[in-house]
PDB file of all heavy atoms in Angstrom:
ATOM      1  N   ARG A2086      -5.878  33.554 -27.631  1.00 84.00           N
ATOM      2  CA  ARG A2086      -6.280  32.551 -26.625  1.00 84.00           C
ATOM      3  C   ARG A2086      -5.675  31.190 -26.997  1.00 84.00           C
ATOM      4  O   ARG A2086      -5.371  30.921 -28.193  1.00 84.00           O
ATOM      5  CB  ARG A2086      -7.805  32.427 -26.513  1.00 84.00           C
ATOM      6  CG  ARG A2086      -8.460  31.830 -27.749  1.00 84.00           C
ATOM      7  CD  ARG A2086      -9.863  31.341 -27.435  1.00 84.00           C
ATOM      8  NE  ARG A2086     -10.462  30.731 -28.613  1.00 84.00           N
ATOM      9  CZ  ARG A2086     -10.246  29.497 -29.015  1.00 84.00           C
ATOM     10  NH1 ARG A2086      -9.389  28.702 -28.341  1.00 84.00           N
ATOM     11  NH2 ARG A2086     -10.850  29.019 -30.105  1.00 84.00           N
ATOM     12  N   PRO A2103     -12.814  31.081 -15.812  1.00 60.00           N
ATOM     13  CA  PRO A2103     -14.231  30.893 -16.170  1.00 60.00           C
ATOM     14  C   PRO A2103     -14.446  30.397 -17.598  1.00 60.00           C
ATOM     15  O   PRO A2103     -15.493  29.846 -17.911  1.00 60.00           O
ATOM     16  CB  PRO A2103     -14.846  32.290 -15.995  1.00 60.00           C
ATOM     17  CG  PRO A2103     -13.702  33.226 -16.008  1.00 60.00           C
ATOM     18  CD  PRO A2103     -12.544  32.497 -15.435  1.00 60.00           C
ATOM     19  N   ILE A2104     -13.484  30.571 -18.510  1.00 62.00           N
ATOM     20  CA  ILE A2104     -13.649  30.087 -19.870  1.00 62.00           C
ATOM     21  C   ILE A2104     -12.691  28.962 -20.194  1.00 62.00           C
ATOM     22  O   ILE A2104     -12.689  28.446 -21.326  1.00 62.00           O
ATOM     23  CB  ILE A2104     -13.494  31.229 -20.893  1.00 62.00           C
ATOM     24  CG1 ILE A2104     -12.069  31.813 -20.835  1.00 62.00           C
ATOM     25  CG2 ILE A2104     -14.525  32.307 -20.659  1.00 62.00           C
ATOM     26  CD1 ILE A2104     -11.817  32.834 -21.922  1.00 62.00           C
ATOM     27  N   GLY A2105     -11.880  28.553 -19.216  1.00 67.00           N
ATOM     28  CA  GLY A2105     -10.973  27.424 -19.428  1.00 67.00           C
ATOM     29  C   GLY A2105      -9.914  27.681 -20.475  1.00 67.00           C
ATOM     30  O   GLY A2105      -9.445  26.755 -21.108  1.00 67.00           O
ATOM     31  N   GLU A2106      -9.552  28.922 -20.680  1.00 75.00           N
ATOM     32  CA  GLU A2106      -8.577  29.281 -21.710  1.00 75.00           C
ATOM     33  C   GLU A2106      -7.505  30.202 -21.102  1.00 75.00           C
ATOM     34  O   GLU A2106      -7.732  30.916 -20.142  1.00 75.00           O
ATOM     35  CB  GLU A2106      -9.251  30.031 -22.866  1.00 75.00           C
ATOM     36  CG  GLU A2106     -10.408  29.278 -23.520  1.00 75.00           C
ATOM     37  CD  GLU A2106      -9.920  28.238 -24.485  1.00 75.00           C
ATOM     38  OE1 GLU A2106      -8.700  28.221 -24.804  1.00 75.00           O
ATOM     39  OE2 GLU A2106     -10.735  27.455 -24.989  1.00 75.00           O
ATOM     40  N   VAL A2108      -5.822  33.492 -21.851  1.00 84.00           N
ATOM     41  CA  VAL A2108      -6.142  34.675 -22.667  1.00 84.00           C
ATOM     42  C   VAL A2108      -5.135  35.769 -22.340  1.00 84.00           C
ATOM     43  O   VAL A2108      -4.818  36.014 -21.160  1.00 84.00           O
ATOM     44  CB  VAL A2108      -7.571  35.179 -22.396  1.00 84.00           C
ATOM     45  CG1 VAL A2108      -7.838  36.425 -23.233  1.00 84.00           C
ATOM     46  CG2 VAL A2108      -8.590  34.105 -22.738  1.00 84.00           C
ATOM     47  N   ASN A2146     -18.305  43.682 -27.466  1.00 81.00           N
ATOM     48  CA  ASN A2146     -19.732  43.290 -27.358  1.00 81.00           C
ATOM     49  C   ASN A2146     -20.560  43.924 -28.463  1.00 81.00           C
ATOM     50  O   ASN A2146     -21.472  43.299 -29.000  1.00 81.00           O
ATOM     51  CB  ASN A2146     -20.269  43.704 -25.989  1.00 81.00           C
ATOM     52  CG  ASN A2146     -19.942  42.696 -24.902  1.00 81.00           C
ATOM     53  OD1 ASN A2146     -20.066  41.483 -25.108  1.00 81.00           O
ATOM     54  ND2 ASN A2146     -19.494  43.172 -23.746  1.00 81.00           N
ATOM     55  N   ILE A2149     -20.381  41.950 -31.708  1.00 78.00           N
ATOM     56  CA  ILE A2149     -20.942  40.581 -31.796  1.00 78.00           C
ATOM     57  C   ILE A2149     -22.129  40.588 -32.745  1.00 78.00           C
ATOM     58  O   ILE A2149     -23.029  41.394 -32.640  1.00 78.00           O
ATOM     59  CB  ILE A2149     -21.377  40.088 -30.400  1.00 78.00           C
ATOM     60  CG1 ILE A2149     -20.148  39.959 -29.489  1.00 78.00           C
ATOM     61  CG2 ILE A2149     -22.109  38.766 -30.512  1.00 78.00           C
ATOM     62  CD1 ILE A2149     -20.474  39.618 -28.058  1.00 78.00           C
ATOM     63  N   ASN A2160     -14.068  34.673 -35.360  1.00 78.00           N
ATOM     64  CA  ASN A2160     -15.074  33.711 -34.940  1.00 78.00           C
ATOM     65  C   ASN A2160     -16.009  34.361 -33.917  1.00 78.00           C
ATOM     66  O   ASN A2160     -15.548  34.934 -32.939  1.00 78.00           O
ATOM     67  CB  ASN A2160     -14.373  32.481 -34.339  1.00 78.00           C
ATOM     68  CG  ASN A2160     -15.347  31.396 -33.947  1.00 78.00           C
ATOM     69  OD1 ASN A2160     -15.981  31.470 -32.886  1.00 78.00           O
ATOM     70  ND2 ASN A2160     -15.483  30.397 -34.802  1.00 78.00           N
ATOM     71  N   ALA A2161     -17.325  34.242 -34.150  1.00 78.00           N
ATOM     72  CA  ALA A2161     -18.288  34.888 -33.307  1.00 78.00           C
ATOM     73  C   ALA A2161     -18.242  34.345 -31.856  1.00 78.00           C
ATOM     74  O   ALA A2161     -18.386  35.086 -30.894  1.00 78.00           O
ATOM     75  CB  ALA A2161     -19.684  34.740 -33.875  1.00 78.00           C
ATOM     76  N   ASP A2162     -18.036  33.030 -31.704  1.00 79.00           N
ATOM     77  CA  ASP A2162     -17.958  32.452 -30.367  1.00 79.00           C
ATOM     78  C   ASP A2162     -16.745  32.960 -29.613  1.00 79.00           C
ATOM     79  O   ASP A2162     -16.827  33.288 -28.434  1.00 79.00           O
ATOM     80  CB  ASP A2162     -17.911  30.930 -30.465  1.00 79.00           C
ATOM     81  CG  ASP A2162     -19.232  30.323 -30.993  1.00 79.00           C
ATOM     82  OD1 ASP A2162     -20.271  31.007 -30.843  1.00 79.00           O
ATOM     83  OD2 ASP A2162     -19.225  29.242 -31.552  1.00 79.00           O
ATOM     84  N   ASP A2163     -15.582  33.038 -30.320  1.00 79.00           N
ATOM     85  CA  ASP A2163     -14.380  33.596 -29.680  1.00 79.00           C
ATOM     86  C   ASP A2163     -14.604  35.011 -29.226  1.00 79.00           C
ATOM     87  O   ASP A2163     -14.240  35.437 -28.119  1.00 79.00           O
ATOM     88  CB  ASP A2163     -13.204  33.547 -30.646  1.00 79.00           C
ATOM     89  CG  ASP A2163     -12.679  32.128 -30.858  1.00 79.00           C
ATOM     90  OD1 ASP A2163     -12.914  31.287 -29.989  1.00 79.00           O
ATOM     91  OD2 ASP A2163     -11.991  31.903 -31.890  1.00 79.00           O
ATOM     92  N   LEU A2164     -15.226  35.799 -30.086  1.00 80.00           N
ATOM     93  CA  LEU A2164     -15.450  37.217 -29.795  1.00 80.00           C
ATOM     94  C   LEU A2164     -16.347  37.343 -28.572  1.00 80.00           C
ATOM     95  O   LEU A2164     -16.059  38.125 -27.652  1.00 80.00           O
ATOM     96  CB  LEU A2164     -16.083  37.900 -31.011  1.00 80.00           C
ATOM     97  CG  LEU A2164     -16.438  39.378 -30.866  1.00 80.00           C
ATOM     98  CD1 LEU A2164     -15.189  40.194 -30.552  1.00 80.00           C
ATOM     99  CD2 LEU A2164     -17.097  39.872 -32.138  1.00 80.00           C
ATOM    100  N   GLU A2165     -17.458  36.610 -28.536  1.00 80.00           N
ATOM    101  CA  GLU A2165     -18.376  36.724 -27.416  1.00 80.00           C
ATOM    102  C   GLU A2165     -17.758  36.228 -26.137  1.00 80.00           C
ATOM    103  O   GLU A2165     -17.925  36.868 -25.079  1.00 80.00           O
ATOM    104  CB  GLU A2165     -19.648  35.896 -27.727  1.00 80.00           C
ATOM    105  CG  GLU A2165     -20.709  36.004 -26.657  1.00 80.00           C
ATOM    106  CD  GLU A2165     -21.985  35.274 -27.058  1.00 80.00           C
ATOM    107  OE1 GLU A2165     -22.007  34.648 -28.126  1.00 80.00           O
ATOM    108  OE2 GLU A2165     -22.953  35.337 -26.286  1.00 80.00           O
ATOM    109  N   GLN A2166     -17.013  35.110 -26.206  1.00 80.00           N
ATOM    110  CA  GLN A2166     -16.404  34.530 -24.997  1.00 80.00           C
ATOM    111  C   GLN A2166     -15.374  35.471 -24.392  1.00 80.00           C
ATOM    112  O   GLN A2166     -15.353  35.720 -23.183  1.00 80.00           O
ATOM    113  CB  GLN A2166     -15.759  33.198 -25.366  1.00 80.00           C
ATOM    114  CG  GLN A2166     -15.316  32.348 -24.179  1.00 80.00           C
ATOM    115  CD  GLN A2166     -14.775  31.020 -24.658  1.00 80.00           C
ATOM    116  OE1 GLN A2166     -13.898  30.969 -25.508  1.00 80.00           O
ATOM    117  NE2 GLN A2166     -15.270  29.941 -24.056  1.00 80.00           N
ATOM    118  N   ILE A2167     -14.524  36.036 -25.241  1.00 80.00           N
ATOM    119  CA  ILE A2167     -13.446  36.905 -24.731  1.00 80.00           C
ATOM    120  C   ILE A2167     -14.001  38.233 -24.253  1.00 80.00           C
ATOM    121  O   ILE A2167     -13.550  38.807 -23.270  1.00 80.00           O
ATOM    122  CB  ILE A2167     -12.364  37.086 -25.808  1.00 80.00           C
ATOM    123  CG1 ILE A2167     -11.625  35.763 -26.025  1.00 80.00           C
ATOM    124  CG2 ILE A2167     -11.378  38.173 -25.428  1.00 80.00           C
ATOM    125  CD1 ILE A2167     -10.616  35.775 -27.111  1.00 80.00           C
ATOM    126  N   ALA A2168     -15.012  38.757 -24.953  1.00 80.00           N
ATOM    127  CA  ALA A2168     -15.647  39.992 -24.512  1.00 80.00           C
ATOM    128  C   ALA A2168     -16.242  39.828 -23.106  1.00 80.00           C
ATOM    129  O   ALA A2168     -16.112  40.691 -22.255  1.00 80.00           O
ATOM    130  CB  ALA A2168     -16.716  40.428 -25.517  1.00 80.00           C
ATOM    131  N   ARG A2169     -16.902  38.656 -22.885  1.00 79.00           N
ATOM    132  CA  ARG A2169     -17.466  38.384 -21.565  1.00 79.00           C
ATOM    133  C   ARG A2169     -16.355  38.250 -20.515  1.00 79.00           C
ATOM    134  O   ARG A2169     -16.465  38.745 -19.405  1.00 79.00           O
ATOM    135  CB  ARG A2169     -18.311  37.117 -21.632  1.00 79.00           C
ATOM    136  CG  ARG A2169     -19.101  36.859 -20.325  1.00 79.00           C
ATOM    137  CD  ARG A2169     -20.023  35.651 -20.447  1.00 79.00           C
ATOM    138  NE  ARG A2169     -19.248  34.382 -20.526  1.00 79.00           N
ATOM    139  CZ  ARG A2169     -19.125  33.670 -21.624  1.00 79.00           C
ATOM    140  NH1 ARG A2169     -19.697  34.061 -22.746  1.00 79.00           N
ATOM    141  NH2 ARG A2169     -18.431  32.555 -21.608  1.00 79.00           N
ATOM    142  N   TYR A2170     -15.297  37.587 -20.925  1.00 78.00           N
ATOM    143  CA  TYR A2170     -14.162  37.365 -20.004  1.00 78.00           C
ATOM    144  C   TYR A2170     -13.529  38.703 -19.589  1.00 78.00           C
ATOM    145  O   TYR A2170     -13.289  38.945 -18.394  1.00 78.00           O
ATOM    146  CB  TYR A2170     -13.138  36.455 -20.687  1.00 78.00           C
ATOM    147  CG  TYR A2170     -11.889  36.227 -19.896  1.00 78.00           C
ATOM    148  CD1 TYR A2170     -11.898  35.553 -18.675  1.00 78.00           C
ATOM    149  CD2 TYR A2170     -10.637  36.647 -20.378  1.00 78.00           C
ATOM    150  CE1 TYR A2170     -10.734  35.316 -17.965  1.00 78.00           C
ATOM    151  CE2 TYR A2170      -9.486  36.433 -19.676  1.00 78.00           C
ATOM    152  CZ  TYR A2170      -9.528  35.767 -18.469  1.00 78.00           C
ATOM    153  OH  TYR A2170      -8.383  35.547 -17.769  1.00 78.00           O
ATOM    154  N   LEU A2171     -13.287  39.607 -20.566  1.00 78.00           N
ATOM    155  CA  LEU A2171     -12.656  40.898 -20.258  1.00 78.00           C
ATOM    156  C   LEU A2171     -13.630  41.752 -19.423  1.00 78.00           C
ATOM    157  O   LEU A2171     -13.187  42.543 -18.605  1.00 78.00           O
ATOM    158  CB  LEU A2171     -12.265  41.633 -21.533  1.00 78.00           C
ATOM    159  CG  LEU A2171     -11.151  41.014 -22.367  1.00 78.00           C
ATOM    160  CD1 LEU A2171     -10.860  41.856 -23.588  1.00 78.00           C
ATOM    161  CD2 LEU A2171      -9.889  40.835 -21.525  1.00 78.00           C
ATOM    162  N   GLY A2172     -14.929  41.549 -19.638  1.00 75.00           N
ATOM    163  CA  GLY A2172     -15.876  42.311 -18.873  1.00 75.00           C
ATOM    164  C   GLY A2172     -15.835  41.987 -17.381  1.00 75.00           C
ATOM    165  O   GLY A2172     -16.180  42.819 -16.530  1.00 75.00           O
TER     166      GLY A2172
END
Side-chain angles (χ1 to χ4, degrees):
R2086 68 162 182 82
I2104 62 174
E2106 304 279 350
V2108 178
N2146 277 316
I2149 295 173
N2160 184 279
D2162 293 337
D2163 287 339
L2164 179 60
E2165 183 175 3
Q2166 190 177 52
I2167 291 176
R2169 187 176 70 252
Y2170 175 65
L2171 294 181

